Amino acid sequence: MKLLRWGPRGAEKPGLLDAEGQVRDLSAHVSDLAGDAVSLRALDRLRALRPEDLPVVEAERLGACLAWVPNFHCVGLNYARHAAEAGAQPPAEPVLFSKATTALAGPFDPIVIPKGSVKTDWEVELGVVIGAEVEHVSEAEALSCVAGYCVVNDLSERAWQLEGTGQWSKGKSAPGFGPIGPWLVTADEVPDPQDLPLWLDLNGETQQLSSTADMIFSVAEIISYMSRHMRLRPGDIIATGTPEGVGMGQTPQRFLRPGDVLELGVTGLGDQRQTALAWPG
């Protein structure tokens, strides 16, 4: 299934994309898509529905594919060539950090460059949505805990992330810095999360073009590792790292300016498009 949320900002309704590309209304069957509503058991109930029995709707806007997330986890330096462009040694274990859950945004919503930002950067990533409560899961069983996958743009303010003291989260958490979607694609439609091309264009020019095959730690390794240190919950999202081609890694460095247009996607999971706007004041 390809699950989505459609409608005006703050008033989205749950839906699914049918085989003909039409949006079908799910609101009679689930109040919204988040938390336990995207657990493995809940997804089985939705999977039993017949799409042709659901109303077709005209969706002028798609929101974030999850209404909210218990946790917005992220993995840093998880692509070999990205670690190289950052001048870093490949990490011996996953580098973990978090984004504020208030960073969540729709896949086509504009990016407001934060007040005072000078180094807002882009990062296309594979997002993993957890479908079960998980602790101490083995790598062999880790993928069985996945509800689905989605596109994530892990937007980052590099000066705030790297040039001061403290943790990365302050450079990752501005409002709108976590576009997800357009769809939550259930795990049964993604047979191998380590074989997904992903890409990002800036103003029509390719900046990132890679595959999840370049990950240092696989999705299964990440979930297993994280579950040894914390409890994962249904609806948690994990942004699994970005490939090479971010603005920080270029010579000279290139960061977002008002009017820039980002287009990005992961094969099979849909595409995003965002326009950068100046801070309004």
Side-chain angles (χ1 to χ4, degrees), residues 80-265:
R81 291 190 293 272
H82 174 54
E85 77 173 348
Q89 290 293 323
E93 56 188 86
V95 176
L96 304 181
F97 62 96
S98 296
K99 295 175 85 78
T101 58
T102 51
L104 210 64
F108 307 108
D109 293 342
I111 299 164
V112 177
I113 298 172
K115 182 179 181 179
S117 167
V118 293
K119 295 184 179 181
T120 293
D121 204 348
W122 55 83
E123 296 190 18
V124 61
E125 306 201 7
L126 171 65
V128 178
V129 178
I130 298 299
E133 195 162 288
V134 179
E135 288 185 86
H136 298 283
V137 68
S138 69
E139 288 181 27
E141 296 295 326
L143 294 185
S144 67
C145 305
V146 174
Y149 302 90
C150 64
V151 183
V152 176
N153 190 355
D154 176 22
L155 291 155
S156 310
E157 212 301 335
R158 300 301 190 186
W160 300 349
Q161 176 191 359
L162 300 171
E163 296 176 15
T165 60
Q167 302 300 312
W168 284 10
S169 296
K170 65 183 183 298
K172 298 281 190 170
S173 295
F177 266 31
I180 64 170
W183 317 313
L184 169 59
V185 180
T186 52
D188 56 294
E189 295 196 11
V190 183
D192 185 359
Q194 303 312 137
D195 187 26
L196 297 175
L198 66 172
W199 58 277
L200 180 145
D201 292 351
L202 171 65
N203 300 330
E205 296 185 2
T206 298
Q207 307 297 314
Q208 295 184 277
L209 182 61
S210 188
S211 166
T212 55
D214 191 45
M215 281 187 182
I216 296 169
F217 302 102
S218 69
V219 172
E221 289 174 309
I222 291 166
I223 293 171
S224 178
Y225 176 85
M226 291 182 68
S227 77
R228 299 202 303 268
H229 300 278
M230 64 193 75
R231 178 181 298 154
L232 301 175
R233 299 171 56 194
D236 280 354
I237 190 167
I238 305 170
T240 55
T242 198
E244 78 279 10
V246 299
M248 179 181 65
Q250 300 184 13
T251 305
Q253 293 182 331
R254 169 71 158 94
F255 299 107
L256 288 179
R257 307 169 188 137
D260 283 343
V261 176
L262 292 176
E263 296 173 283
L264 58 145

